[in-house]
């Protein structure tokens, strides 16, 4: 149960952050905005994330949550190929609806993981991505 609660708090923070990034832009969103919308505390925020920038690495969590939602809607009788087509179609439809996301700039840096995050960001609809690899 404690693990579910921790995941729930982190999930609320991540969801609130991405909603605010969408509505106000990354630069227009403060940690206090995220805390208020998520109904959590600064202590909880900083338990999971050192900075607001770290939230950019949570894009895969958003997609995982979306896939879980879609899985519940799928017909259990669908074969694997049909399920993949369904997930692909629904995910791309969701991305196309996220027009404001394309305006958000992303700067990625790191060893290896940057390319994975960049690919997720591109699939989610971001268009202005700078990757720094050293």
């Amino acid at each position: 149960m404690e693990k579910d609660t921790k995941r729930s708090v982190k999930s609320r923070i991540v969801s609130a952050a991405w909603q605010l990034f969408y509505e106000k832009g990354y630069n227009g969103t403060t940690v206090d905005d995220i805390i208020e919308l998520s109904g959590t505390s600064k202590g909880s925020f900083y338990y999971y994330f050192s900075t607001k920038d770290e939230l950019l690495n949570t894009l895969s969590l958003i997609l995982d949550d979306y896939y879980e939602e879609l899985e519940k809607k799928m017909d259990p009788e669908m074969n694997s190929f049909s399920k993949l087509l369904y997930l692909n179609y629904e995910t791309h439809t969701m991305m196309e609806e996220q027009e404001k996301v394309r305006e958000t700039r992303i700067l990625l840096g790191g060893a290896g993981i940057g390319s994975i995050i960049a690919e997720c960001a591109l699939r989610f609809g971001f268009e202005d991505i700078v990757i720094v690899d050293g």
Side-chain angles (χ1 to χ4, degrees):
M1 176 104 172
E2 186 177 323
K3 187 177 180 180
D4 289 340
T5 302
K6 285 184 178 182
R7 179 179 164 92
S8 175
V9 170
K10 185 175 183 179
S11 227
R12 289 187 353 236
I13 293 169
V14 169
S15 295
W18 284 97
Q19 179 181 336
L20 289 165
F21 294 164
Y22 174 79
E23 293 171 359
K24 299 171 74 172
Y26 178 79
N27 292 330
T29 300
T30 66
V31 170
D32 287 334
D33 294 334
I34 296 166
I35 291 165
E36 183 179 338
L37 184 61
S38 66
T40 59
S41 66
K42 274 195 183 190
S44 293
F45 179 90
Y46 288 110
Y47 176 80
Y48 293 107
F49 308 101
S50 299
T51 65
K52 181 176 79 168
D53 293 343
E54 282 187 22
L55 284 162
L56 294 175
N57 294 329
T58 63
L59 186 56
S60 62
L61 294 175
I62 297 291
L63 292 175
D64 287 346
D65 289 345
Y66 189 62
Y67 288 146
E68 285 180 22
E69 286 178 37
L70 291 175
E71 186 176 25
K72 292 174 188 172
K73 297 176 185 178
M74 277 193 283
D75 180 353
E77 300 298 317
M78 292 170 78
N79 64 37
S80 296
F81 182 72
S82 295
K83 288 178 181 179
L84 286 172
L85 286 177
Y86 171 78
L87 291 173
N88 189 46
Y89 173 79
E90 292 296 325
T91 303
H92 280 88
T93 300
M94 181 265 299
M95 287 183 223
E96 288 171 5
E97 293 171 357
Q98 303 294 326
E99 289 299 320
K100 270 190 159 178
V101 168
R102 292 190 172 106
E103 299 170 7
T104 304
R105 288 187 167 179
I106 297 180
L107 173 63
L108 298 172
I113 193 73
S115 61
I116 294 168
I117 300 299
E119 182 178 337
C120 288
L122 287 170
R123 290 175 187 260
F124 198 64
F126 289 93
E127 292 179 345
D128 194 356
I129 301 173
V130 177
I131 301 174
V132 179
D133 196 9

